[in-house]
């Protein structure tokens, strides 16, 4: 009788540990990540994938959601931008449009070396 109880206890323990590890590490089991993991991955998007509003062409800006030819020309005319939020602060685009593109853009600053190389 004692052996049966011990076996049942060990089986329950193994099952519990297996479920715990599966929940704690879904990548190890090959299951799809949770929605919060997807959001975290989007938030941690490398800056190489972001469009620089200080150097993007009109066609690149047109490709952003909510940005057409008129807004892309306004963005280009308002350069340079210190921060991407300057688009709204300077009233280049409305807040609703900015909310659509804020995770897709960046406002890179010219480096001192690049600025000095452009001077004659």
């Amino acid at each position: 009788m004692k052996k049966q109880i011990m076996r049942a206890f060990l089986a329950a323990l193994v099952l519990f540990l297996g479920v715990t590890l599966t929940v704690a590490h879904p990548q190890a089991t090959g299951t799809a990540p949770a929605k919060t993991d997807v959001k975290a991955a989007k938030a941690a998007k490398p800056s190489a994938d972001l469009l620089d509003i200080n150097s993007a062409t009109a066609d690149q800006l047109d490709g952003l959601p909510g940005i057409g030819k008129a807004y892309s020309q306004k963005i280009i005319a308002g350069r340079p931008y210190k921060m991407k939020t300057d688009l709204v602060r300077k009233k280049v685009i409305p807040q609703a449009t900015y909310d659509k593109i804020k995770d897709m853009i960046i406002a890179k600053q010219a480096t001192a070396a690049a600025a000095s190389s452009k001077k004659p």
Side-chain angles (χ1 to χ4, degrees):
M1 183 76 165
K2 242 182 178 178
K3 284 185 179 182
Q4 287 179 337
I5 293 173
M6 187 61 99
R7 284 183 187 158
F9 176 76
L10 286 175
L13 181 63
V14 169
L15 180 64
F16 174 76
L17 288 175
V19 170
T20 303
L21 290 175
T22 302
V23 171
H25 301 288
Q27 296 87 357
T29 62
T31 59
K35 286 186 179 184
T36 55
D37 293 340
V38 173
K39 286 183 180 180
K42 282 186 178 180
K45 185 185 278 192
S47 63
D49 292 345
L50 300 176
L51 184 62
D52 180 16
I53 58 174
N54 283 325
S55 64
T57 65
D59 289 337
Q60 290 172 321
L61 292 168
D62 284 347
L64 294 170
I67 303 294
K69 292 191 184 295
Y71 281 146
S72 64
Q73 289 305 317
K74 284 179 75 172
I75 292 170
I76 291 170
R79 290 176 178 167
Y81 300 100
K82 279 185 154 184
M83 300 177 294
K84 63 184 181 179
T85 55
D86 287 350
L87 291 173
V88 175
R89 190 179 59 78
K90 292 182 176 183
K91 298 182 180 168
V92 176
I93 62 173
Q95 182 68 48
T97 303
Y98 174 77
D99 290 341
K100 292 178 189 176
I101 65 169
K102 67 182 176 186
D103 295 330
M104 301 175 193
I105 61 172
I106 192 169
K108 291 182 184 175
Q109 303 302 306
T111 61
S116 65
S117 68
K118 290 184 180 180
K119 291 183 180 178

